[in-house]
């Protein structure tokens, strides 16, 4: 059985202890991943510390060239990586091919270019000049989740490296495959030993060892709000820089004047892409009452037509959920919604996919109506192929409902009324708003959430600010 090793100091290091890795579509173990602890994190920090002076002193163009080479190599092996991501995570291979791997390539290219455009401020006054140095921080920790494994890992690693830091990264123990393959690619492309280190293992072991390590001065984390709270509690008193990208319960607000022909396919996509396992998914659909019934019929017709199937089949729309535990969590959330008085209009059960996927963790795309806005299904992240739909009567009510959760990551607004779109966008308590579109990403824009969706922003110059330390130098002229 294949074994996925740590990548520390340019070496692939096996482990004395291993974790089974499951293929979600079959429910079977298909490889094992190294189980790292504090000692592997210590070794990784030492390697990263040793590599830091030479890497940070390299010209930005040289760092950019290495990242661009890695991007090219990844592009030349796009199909192989897409298949690996699909097998490991359960997502349709078509999605990994069109979204996950292309976006990972884009992350690398974007930050390779950004490294060469890095700038800093200066402030002049009579007889005085201040200028700001933006210097790399040193060794940084990057901890990523299982839903978009390589996409989110590279979203952190690429800017960290581009701006001169060295990295100790920990991918999710549920989806370690593409991170390991990516480390091989980095080694082949001439990334110097120790610049990127990958320690595999459980969050409570390898992950917390990164969070608690005194020499790691910044942590970029994407994952659940509960883990984010632990990281803030632990790393806060150590005064580490923190970027915490956490959960969401994102509203999709549909006004009566929306262009439904254009909107419906996108709203279905927002609810069910990647089995609903995207922090940005629009899982709470708010619909103006005058079009509620019409919207519900058309929406449900489209949802019922989604094909749940083997992730490796090209025509599959909805693949398997990432783990058995998550599968049970999603099914329990549906049962709780039923008990809370919800009416299941589509789906509501485990889905059966015959053949090699007979034991896989599939859930039917599910639409629930009739729930109170305060019940758990409307308040808590389910992170599966489940959406709820609620009516509203006025702009004020839509905004109140949208803001009535503890999360504040993203929202989408569907209307042809430009004034209303701008007004509502400004009043939503969240970090990202899409108008008449969803999950359209320009990597220059600030990305992140408010409230329990986290602190800090990533992307563009926000990532530059996060992965560098500003130092003001004041000169008397
Ligand atoms: P998780 O918090 O369980 O795990 C995320 C990562 O943190 C994994 O690598 C895990 O091993 C590690 N980890 C777990 N406990 C840790 C600890 N005590 N110390 C250090 N590291 C630890 O989250 P998940 O279940 O993998 O991911 C799903 C969650 O991620 C959802 O809530 C989703 O909304 C969120 N998410 C947010 C964004 C965003 O950009 N805001 C993007 C994707 C996913």
């Amino acid at each position: 059985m294949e074994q996925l090793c740590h990548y520390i100091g340019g070496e692939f290091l096996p482990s004395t202890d291993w974790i089974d890795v499951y293929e979600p579509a079959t429910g079977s173990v298909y490889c094992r991943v190294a189980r790292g602890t504090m000692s592997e994190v210590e070794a990784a920090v030492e390697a990263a510390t040793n590599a830091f002076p030479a890497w940070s002193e390299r010209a930005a163009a040289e760092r950019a060239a290495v990242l661009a080479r890695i991007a090219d190599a990844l592009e030349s092996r796009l199909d192989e990586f897409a298949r690996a991501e699909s097998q490991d995570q359960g997502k349709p291979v078509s999605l990994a091919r069109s979204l996950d791997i292309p976006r990972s390539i884009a992350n690398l290219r974007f930050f390779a270019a950004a490294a060469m455009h890095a700038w800093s401020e200066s402030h002049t006054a009579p007889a005085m000049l201040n200028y700001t140095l933006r210097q790399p921080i040193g060794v940084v920790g990057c901890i990523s989740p299982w839903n978009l494994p390589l996409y989110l890992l590279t979203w952190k690693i690429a800017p960290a490296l581009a701006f001169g830091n060295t990295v100790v990264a920990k991918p999710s123990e549920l989806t370690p495959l593409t991170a390991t393959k990516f480390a091989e690619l980095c080694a082949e492309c001439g990334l110097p030993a120790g610049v990127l280190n990958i320690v595999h293992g459980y969050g409570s072991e390898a992950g917390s060892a990164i969070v608690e390590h005194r020499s790691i001065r910044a942590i970029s984390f994407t994952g659940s709000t509960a883990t984010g709270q632990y990281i803030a509690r632990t790393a806060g008193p150590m005064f580490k820089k923190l970027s915490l990208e956490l959960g969401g319960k994102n509203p999709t607000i549909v006004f009566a004047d929306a262009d439904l022909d254009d909107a419906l396919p996108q709203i279905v996509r927002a609810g069910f892409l990647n089995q609903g396992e995207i922090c940005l998914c629009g899982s709470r659909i708010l619909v103006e009452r005058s079009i509620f019934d019409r919207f519900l019929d058309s929406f449900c017709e489209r949802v019922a037509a989604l094909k749940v199937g083997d992730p490796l089949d090209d025509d599959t729309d909805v693949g398997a959920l990432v783990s058995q535990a998550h599968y049970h969590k999603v099914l329990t959330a549906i049962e709780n919604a039923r008990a809370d008085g919800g009416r299941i209009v589509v789906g509501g059960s485990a889905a059966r996919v015959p053949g090699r996927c007979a034991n896989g963790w599939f859930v039917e795309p599910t639409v629930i109506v009739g729930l109170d806005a305060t019940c758990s299904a409307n308040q808590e992240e389910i992170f599966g192929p489940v959406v709820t739909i609620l009516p509203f009567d006025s702009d004020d009510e839509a905004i109140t409902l949208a803001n009535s959760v503890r999360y504040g990551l993203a929202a989408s607004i569907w209307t042809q009324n430009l004034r209303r779109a701008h007004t509502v966008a400004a009043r939503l308590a969240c970090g990202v708003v899409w108008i008449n579109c969803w999950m359209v990403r320009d990597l220059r824009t600030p990305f992140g959430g408010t409230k329990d969706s986290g602190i800090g922003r990533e992307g563009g110059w926000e990532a530059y600010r996060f992965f560098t330390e500003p130092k003001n130098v004041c000169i008397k002229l």
Side-chain angles (χ1 to χ4, degrees), residues 56 69 97 100 108 126 182 221 233 250-251 278 291 317 320 357 445 463 468:
S56 59
R69 263 202 312 278
R97 209 183 283 129
D100 294 72
L108 292 157
F182 181 73
F221 169 80
R233 234 181 5 251
N250 313 299
I278 300 183
I291 60 158
D317 298 308
C357 297
T445 59
T468 56

Side-chain angles (χ1 to χ4, degrees), residues 143-148 152 155-156 170-174 201-212 221-228 230-231 244-248 277-280 322 326 329 381 383 407 409 447-449 453-454 458:
I143 303 177
S144 49
W146 48 257
N147 64 325
L148 299 167
L152 288 172
W155 179 235
K156 299 175 181 308
K170 197 202 86 64
S172 169
E173 63 278 18
L174 296 174
Y202 291 119
S204 57
E205 298 177 348
S208 60
I210 291 173
V211 173
E212 288 165 23
F221 169 80
T222 299
S224 65
T225 295
T227 307
Y230 153 77
I231 294 175
L244 303 175
E245 303 291 342
L246 312 177
E277 296 168 323
I278 300 183
C279 55
L280 304 168
V322 73
H326 190 55
K329 183 180 160 237
E381 190 179 40
F383 218 55
Y407 299 101
L409 185 55
F447 179 85
S453 294
E458 300 190 339

Side-chain angles (χ1 to χ4, degrees), residues 387-412:
V387 303
T388 60
I389 312 188
L390 286 154
F392 67 84
D393 289 301
S394 66
D395 294 19
D396 279 348
E397 191 189 1
I399 292 163
T400 303
L401 284 170
N403 291 343
S404 70
V405 295
R406 67 184 177 114
Y407 299 101
L409 185 55
S412 67

Side-chain angles (χ1 to χ4, degrees), residues 160-176:
L161 298 181
F163 302 129
N165 303 281
T166 54
V167 171
V168 177
K170 197 202 86 64
S172 169
E173 63 278 18
L174 296 174
T175 54

Side-chain angles (χ1 to χ4, degrees), residues 196-209:
L196 170 66
N197 304 276
I198 293 182
V199 179
H200 287 295
Y202 291 119
S204 57
E205 298 177 348
S208 60

Side-chain angles (χ1 to χ4, degrees), residues 72-235:
D72 291 347
L74 182 55
E75 190 168 49
S76 72
R77 288 164 61 180
L78 193 151
D79 280 338
E80 174 195 335
F81 270 78
R83 199 185 149 86
E85 201 72 296
S86 168
Q87 181 180 22
D88 203 31
Q89 205 275 340
K91 67 182 66 219
V93 67
S94 56
L95 182 65
R97 209 183 283 129
S98 60
L99 176 74
D100 294 72
I101 309 306
R103 173 57 194 275
S104 306
I105 296 164
N107 289 339
L108 292 157
R109 291 203 172 126
F110 178 84
F111 285 109
M116 309 224 284
H117 292 263
W119 53 276
S120 77
E121 312 86 5
S122 72
H123 301 86
T124 56
M128 302 299 280
L129 169 66
N130 287 279
Y131 65 89
T132 307
L133 293 175
R134 287 214 159 255
Q135 298 174 309
I137 296 168
V139 181
V140 300
C142 297
I143 303 177
S144 49
W146 48 257
N147 64 325
L148 299 167
L150 191 63
Y151 170 137
L152 288 172
L153 186 73
T154 51
W155 179 235
K156 299 175 181 308
I157 287 174
L161 298 181
F163 302 129
N165 303 281
T166 54
V167 171
V168 177
K170 197 202 86 64
S172 169
E173 63 278 18
L174 296 174
T175 54
L177 181 57
T178 49
T180 312
K181 291 169 80 67
F182 181 73
E184 291 165 10
L185 218 59
C186 290
E188 284 164 27
C189 292
L191 188 72
V195 169
L196 170 66
N197 304 276
I198 293 182
V199 179
H200 287 295
Y202 291 119
S204 57
E205 298 177 348
S208 60
I210 291 173
V211 173
E212 288 165 23
H213 202 293
R214 292 219 160 251
S215 302
I216 296 179
R217 299 306 311 153
I219 308 270
S220 169
F221 169 80
T222 299
S224 65
T225 295
T227 307
Q229 284 167 334
Y230 153 77
I231 294 175
R233 234 181 5 251
T234 309

